Amino acid sequence: MRLHINFTGGEPFTLQNFTEILTEARKIPKLSFGILTNGYLLRDSKLQILRQLRPSFIQLSLEGNAEMNDQIRGKGSFDDVKKAAATYKKLGIPVMISFTANAQNYKQLPQVVQIARKLKIHKVWTDRYLPIKPKDDLTLTPEQAAEYFQIIRNEQKNKRLHPFSKTIVSAERALQFLISGGVPYKCKAGVSLLTVMPDGTVFPCRRLPIEIGNMSSENILQIFDNQHKIKDLHDLEQLDESCRACFYKSTCAGGLRCLAYAKLGSYLKKDPDCSV
């Protein structure tokens, strides 16, 4: 069985011994790893170590043009991310760009894709912003979400205008298939995905902060086997009543569980942006 770990944060490269942690991870048979980072904290010596460790990918966040990105991520981060992307490309490490769509920036996805194509980025993937409180002005409305899904589709179709670009514009997140086409995405939280926090607390997903165990007192198999919350999360018969008769019930499984939890207080509710 193959295993994969994504190291994220906060910012993982702020750990002084992070490259040592990656070195130990590389020793584990059949284990791959990716790194979700701002990308620009490493200096030359550690960059060379990183090249030798061969991560599956480096994921960098870009949230729009320079003004929008720096408003969200901090002054100067737009230029820093572009430089980091170019650096990792030279090292032969695949680079992905992550774009989190909110009510202020979702129309700027085409600008991010354009930058990614110029930098010869491997993939651009995008998902919706999760509110940090029930009423959050950055949360997409259902109408904005539908428009955002169409923007993704348009960028995929624009591939024909860039025949030599190998940049993939991914539409493999919840509900995006309704407009972009392709196979519906089903939440993998707690099935093939777990998040482990620094104190050992285990969540089904880093975007679904429901504690299901702690690795300081339980092993991972115990957490998998004994958690009713994981089973409930994927029990199709417990889905929102409006989902049960849906043609996509078994393939979509209610959409973005973490958004339902963040916005409606229950991961069994229907994705708030679903138009079906």
Side-chain angles (χ1 to χ4, degrees):
M1 181 175 67
R2 299 194 66 85
L3 298 174
H4 180 84
I5 295 176
N6 285 336
F7 292 97
T8 183
E11 173 48 56
F13 282 123
T14 58
L15 289 174
Q16 292 186 349
N17 64 337
F18 185 51
T19 53
E20 286 81 0
I21 293 172
L22 297 180
T23 300
E24 291 303 310
R26 175 50 64 210
K27 296 177 183 177
I28 301 173
K30 297 184 179 180
L31 174 69
S32 60
F33 63 85
I35 306 169
L36 284 56
T37 171
N38 66 26
Y40 45 82
L41 291 185
L42 290 191
R43 295 297 177 259
D44 290 345
S45 60
K46 289 192 175 182
L47 282 172
Q48 295 306 317
I49 294 173
L50 196 62
R51 175 164 61 178
Q52 295 170 12
L53 292 173
R54 305 184 314 280
S56 298
F57 62 85
I58 297 282
Q59 178 182 298
L60 308 173
S61 293
L62 202 59
E63 313 295 5
N65 62 23
E67 180 180 1
M68 178 62 70
N69 181 83
D70 287 6
Q71 177 183 322
I72 295 171
R73 293 283 174 179
K75 186 177 180 181
S77 64
F78 179 84
D79 290 335
D80 286 337
V81 166
K82 287 177 63 178
K83 291 175 184 176
T87 297
Y88 290 122
K89 285 290 293 179
K90 289 179 181 178
L91 293 174
I93 301 172
V95 177
M96 293 199 304
I97 291 292
S98 169
F99 174 85
T100 302
N102 64 48
Q104 294 181 354
N105 76 341
Y106 73 97
K107 293 183 181 181
Q108 293 197 9
L109 175 60
Q111 296 180 53
V112 171
V113 173
Q114 183 180 26
I115 293 166
R117 286 182 172 135
K118 286 182 178 179
L119 293 173
K120 299 181 180 180
I121 298 298
H122 168 61
K123 178 188 286 188
V124 176
W125 78 276
T126 175
D127 208 348
R128 287 166 283 165
Y129 168 81
L130 291 187
I132 58 176
K133 53 186 177 181
K135 292 185 178 180
D136 187 327
D137 290 340
L138 290 177
T139 310
L140 294 171
T141 66
E143 294 76 19
Q144 289 172 329
E147 184 180 0
Y148 154 66
F149 295 155
Q150 184 61 59
I151 292 170
I152 298 172
R153 178 56 177 160
N154 292 343
E155 288 308 304
Q156 290 181 316
K157 292 167 68 175
N158 282 345
K159 169 70 175 175
R160 291 174 294 182
L161 302 177
H162 305 274
F164 301 108
S165 172
K166 296 182 180 180
T167 299
I168 299 166
V169 179
S170 175
E172 298 174 352
R173 305 303 294 173
L175 300 189
Q176 293 177 6
F177 76 96
L178 292 174
I179 291 176
S180 66
V183 178
Y185 173 86
K186 181 190 289 188
C187 175
K188 298 177 176 62
V191 177
S192 59
L193 172 69
L194 287 176
T195 291
V196 182
M197 303 302 288
D199 65 355
T201 300
V202 178
F203 298 148
C205 169
R206 66 190 179 92
R207 306 222 301 166
L208 185 59
I210 299 171
E211 183 173 349
I212 60 173
N214 194 296
M215 290 189 65
S216 63
S217 57
E218 306 168 87
N219 67 47
I220 200 72
L221 293 178
Q222 289 175 313
I223 293 172
F224 263 117
D225 290 342
N226 299 330
Q227 269 306 317
H228 69 276
K229 290 179 182 178
I230 291 178
K231 295 174 184 176
D232 290 347
L233 183 63
H234 299 286
D235 183 350
L236 298 181
E237 298 308 312
Q238 293 201 53
L239 273 176
D240 191 293
E241 185 175 351
S242 61
C243 290
R244 294 177 195 171
C246 179
F247 176 79
Y248 300 109
K249 179 179 79 170
S250 62
T251 51
C252 169
L256 201 59
R257 307 288 80 228
C258 52
L259 181 60
Y261 180 76
K263 199 168 182 179
L264 304 175
S266 171
Y267 52 76
L268 297 176
K269 294 286 188 181
K270 176 181 178 179
D271 188 316
D273 294 331
C274 182
S275 59
V276 176

